[in-house]
Amino acid sequence: MTKEQFVLELEKIGAIKFGSFTLKSGLVSPFYFDLRDMISHPAILEGVVDLLVEKIKDMDFDVITGIPYTALPIASLVAAKLRKPLIYMRKEEKAYGTGNNVIGKFTKGAKCLVIDDLITTGASKNETAEGYEKEGIIVKDFVVVIDRSANGAEELGRQGYKLHSLISLEEIVNLLQVKDLITYEKVQEVREFTTSLSKPAKKEKYVNPLTQKLLDKMNEKKSNLVLSLDVTSQAEFFAMLDKVGEQIVMLKTHVDIIDDYDENFVPKLQEYAKRQNFLIFEDRKFADIGNTVRHQFRNGIYKIADWAEYITVHMVAGELILKGLFEGIENRAAFVLARMSSKGNLLNETYTRKCFDAAKKNPQLVAGFIGHGNSVEDIKRFKAKFPGSEVLMMPGVKKEKGSDAMGQQYITIEDAVVGGADCIIVGRGILKAEDPGAEAKLYRKRAWIAYQERKLK
Ligand code: 5BU
């Protein structure tokens, strides 16, 4: 089957439609593609498989996958024809048994070619790649049957992937027009629609005032080092600040681990913050219902809202936690925990995306995200999905990659920052050093240099 015949067959079975279709986003599209039924038409199925085989047979890959559901049966036929192993990813992450999310046999480092039916914007393809990359599989190439995007190849290119497509939207409309299956007016309408999608209206990006305040302080102090001062007495706390406070842009506290906390603690901390010129961030990780976190933030012994400009928030209870926390309070903002550094943590990609959605709806309450990653590439992809101009705060950072006995995982200062961390959060890497003051200087210097270099690129 030629490409032209294939397009005409798709049109016949109603997989390619022209008219007026309201999309999920609310936009009205002059065309609609749905390739799901292709598998029930053996000749068409055979045709698309042959075309794909021809397209990819000389490409460099070890295994093939298809994105469920539409592309998976197609990919399996392609894999069999090319005598290449097929693998695929569960749609739901597995939380029991062996925990294997990839079905099929592969070796770590295998190069995987990903087949999909359509590309619309390119925004979701990297989630697939990310899933495989977590399992040690390398994804470089995506092959789609129809490229209906305006700039999908560009978008994927930005994320480090290459897009190959059998047929483009332009080819489809041209062919159907030649065959008198659509009018010239329709072709124009399609073109106008796609160009309008590729040029989103340029908006000034909103910057949360507390994000700005942190960025300003970083530039003023030439430091993107956040100290996590996890000690359990006031004496140790302030003795450490004496040594390290000058090096940091922000101090992260866990106020509830201080054994001898009393009413002198906060005024003293504020005096240090002023003198040593750093911001205060209480890593309280609020996670309850709105009404409870409201009190946990304002009341009790610690009265965190009185003194911590930045706090951490888990989104597990839903985005109204933000309302509960901040309603009626000014000049406070959250770092939302979008990814954690600890081994086996339960924050999966869907959860991370929901954190971004919640932040998108409440930009005035979210200054940034806490996140982590296992490589520069992994962090880059995570950061690329930030909804606005939030900062990325990264714990789990040390001079060397490694882990502790209780699940903490570390990546290096440079990997964190090159990947996209705006600030590194360091605890024991500095606290346990023989000379914490000198060590903080070193972390500060390395993180700041990496940050400057990243911004120049
Ligand atoms: P460390 O000593 O550098 O491992 O301390 C890291 C700090 O960051 C510690 O206070 C943790 O509670 C905090 N942290 C983290 O390590 N990982 C995370 O994902 C989040 C916070 Br959120």
Side-chain angles (χ1 to χ4, degrees):
M1 189 180 285
T2 63
K3 242 167 44 168
E4 286 71 21
Q5 287 166 332
F6 174 62
V7 172
L8 295 174
E9 288 300 317
L10 286 183
E11 200 270 342
K12 256 191 230 157
I13 65 164
I16 300 182
K17 287 195 178 85
F18 290 86
S20 187
F21 307 90
T22 305
L23 306 177
K24 235 194 283 170
S25 57
L27 284 177
V28 179
S29 168
F31 58 89
Y32 190 75
F33 299 152
D34 183 350
L35 303 189
R36 275 174 298 190
D37 288 347
M38 232 168 29
I39 49 167
S40 313
H41 300 268
I44 300 182
L45 182 58
E46 188 181 39
V48 72
V49 169
D50 287 345
L51 290 168
L52 283 168
V53 164
E54 199 45 42
K55 179 106 197 156
I56 67 180
K57 65 180 193 312
D58 297 322
M59 284 166 54
D60 177 29
F61 59 92
D62 306 307
V63 291
I64 290 189
T65 192
I67 302 182
Y69 292 105
T70 307
L72 185 52
I74 299 169
S76 44
L77 290 170
V78 172
K81 276 218 166 172
L82 286 172
R83 294 269 181 273
K84 288 280 190 186
L86 178 81
I87 58 172
Y88 69 92
M89 181 77 79
R90 287 173 197 283
K91 271 198 91 140
E92 303 301 332
E93 268 190 43
K94 198 179 173 196
Y96 55 87
T98 56
N100 290 344
N101 290 314
V102 177
I103 318 283
K105 287 263 175 275
F106 61 92
T107 46
K108 295 249 171 208
K111 282 178 256 168
C112 180
L113 178 115
V114 184
I115 296 182
D116 206 358
D117 52 345
L118 298 169
I119 179 161
T120 306
T121 61
S124 67
K125 294 279 185 280
N126 65 348
E127 272 165 39
T128 302
E130 213 169 89
Y132 282 108
E133 279 154 8
K134 268 200 192 136
E135 312 280 340
I137 297 165
I138 300 168
V139 174
K140 285 231 150 58
D141 296 285
F142 283 87
V143 182
V144 297
V145 177
I146 299 179
D147 178 359
R148 51 155 289 174
S149 70
N151 53 358
E154 223 177 280
E155 174 66 32
L156 283 192
R158 238 198 318 275
Q159 297 163 13
Y161 307 110
K162 194 161 167 41
L163 176 73
H164 312 262
S165 60
L166 272 191
I167 312 151
S168 67
L169 176 63
E170 185 67 19
E171 286 176 288
I172 293 176
V173 289
N174 285 343
L175 176 70
L176 295 183
Q177 195 200 343
V178 170
K179 299 280 177 194
D180 272 339
L181 290 164
I182 49 170
T183 60
Y184 177 71
E185 286 69 35
K186 195 78 209 170
V187 175
Q188 288 304 98
E189 212 185 309
V190 170
R191 287 193 183 129
E192 273 160 32
F193 180 76
T194 42
T195 15
S196 75
L197 284 189
S198 68
K199 283 194 222 127
K202 273 222 163 118
K203 265 196 288 174
E204 278 287 308
K205 253 196 186 175
Y206 168 81
V207 184
N208 180 295
L210 280 148
T211 306
Q212 194 59 53
K213 183 168 183 178
L214 172 56
L215 293 170
D216 290 345
K217 183 76 72 190
M218 285 159 63
N219 284 323
E220 179 197 334
K221 216 172 167 184
K222 306 221 173 328
S223 170
N224 55 343
L225 174 63
V226 179
L227 176 70
S228 185
L229 223 184
D230 304 333
V231 293
T232 52
S233 72
Q234 290 202 45
E236 285 173 277
F237 189 96
F238 292 109
M240 188 56 75
L241 267 187
D242 283 329
K243 296 181 193 146
V244 174
E246 299 291 344
Q247 308 303 331
I248 62 176
V249 66
M250 179 181 261
L251 180 73
K252 184 174 88 67
T253 55
H254 282 296
V255 70
D256 54 352
I257 66 174
I258 299 194
D259 291 328
D260 55 349
Y261 177 87
D262 61 17
E263 72 282 359
N264 299 319
F265 178 79
V266 167
K268 196 164 172 189
L269 170 61
Q270 285 171 323
E271 186 272 311
Y272 268 79
K274 198 163 175 217
R275 181 163 44 85
Q276 297 184 319
N277 193 22
F278 58 73
L279 301 167
I280 302 177
F281 159 25
E282 163 59 29
D283 189 8
R284 172 61 181 74
K285 300 190 176 70
F286 293 98
D288 213 314
I289 60 165
N291 187 56
T292 304
V293 295
R294 180 184 205 85
H295 294 308
Q296 288 173 325
F297 189 30
R298 294 163 175 73
N299 307 113
I301 304 170
Y302 304 116
K303 301 189 179 24
I304 295 165
D306 288 351
W307 53 272
E309 283 184 295
Y310 303 82
I311 50 171
T312 33
V313 181
H314 275 299
M315 275 299 156
V316 67
E319 69 183 70
L320 286 176
I321 190 175
L322 293 171
K323 184 170 176 214
L325 276 168
F326 296 113
E327 201 172 48
I329 290 192
E330 283 184 357
N331 305 324
R332 301 287 180 261
F335 293 132
V336 172
L337 289 113
R339 276 188 179 189
M340 288 190 73
S341 62
S342 48
K343 190 174 165 65
N345 75 77
L346 305 180
L347 310 192
N348 62 20
E349 284 159 45
T350 312
Y351 184 90
T352 300
R353 194 171 55 239
K354 299 219 159 152
C355 290
F356 292 154
D357 290 346
K360 205 173 186 171
K361 288 195 217 147
N362 302 279
Q364 72 291 1
L365 305 180
V366 178
F369 296 100
I370 305 278
H372 201 257
N374 51 28
S375 67
V376 169
E377 292 308 315
D378 186 33
I379 302 167
K380 273 190 183 161
R381 278 191 297 276
F382 166 66
K383 180 105 190 262
K385 285 185 263 169
F386 277 27
S389 45
E390 302 84 0
V391 280
L392 171 55
M393 312 294 288
M394 189 165 301
V397 175
K398 265 197 176 174
K399 287 193 293 189
E400 269 98 41
K401 214 175 155 78
S403 56
D404 75 4
M406 287 183 279
Q408 175 70 304
Q409 305 179 111
Y410 293 105
I411 57 163
T412 65
I413 305 167
E414 281 76 15
D415 281 0
V417 177
V418 171
D422 298 295
C423 288
I424 57 164
I425 300 177
V426 182
R428 285 163 290 176
I430 291 171
L431 304 177
K432 301 281 183 216
E434 220 164 274
D435 182 349
E439 199 68 357
K441 247 188 199 163
L442 186 82
Y443 271 85
R444 171 198 190 163
K445 190 170 166 205
R446 280 176 53 177
W448 188 251
I449 288 174
Y451 181 63
Q452 295 307 311
E453 285 178 357
R454 187 186 87 208
K455 285 203 301 185
L456 284 177
K457 278 188 191 147

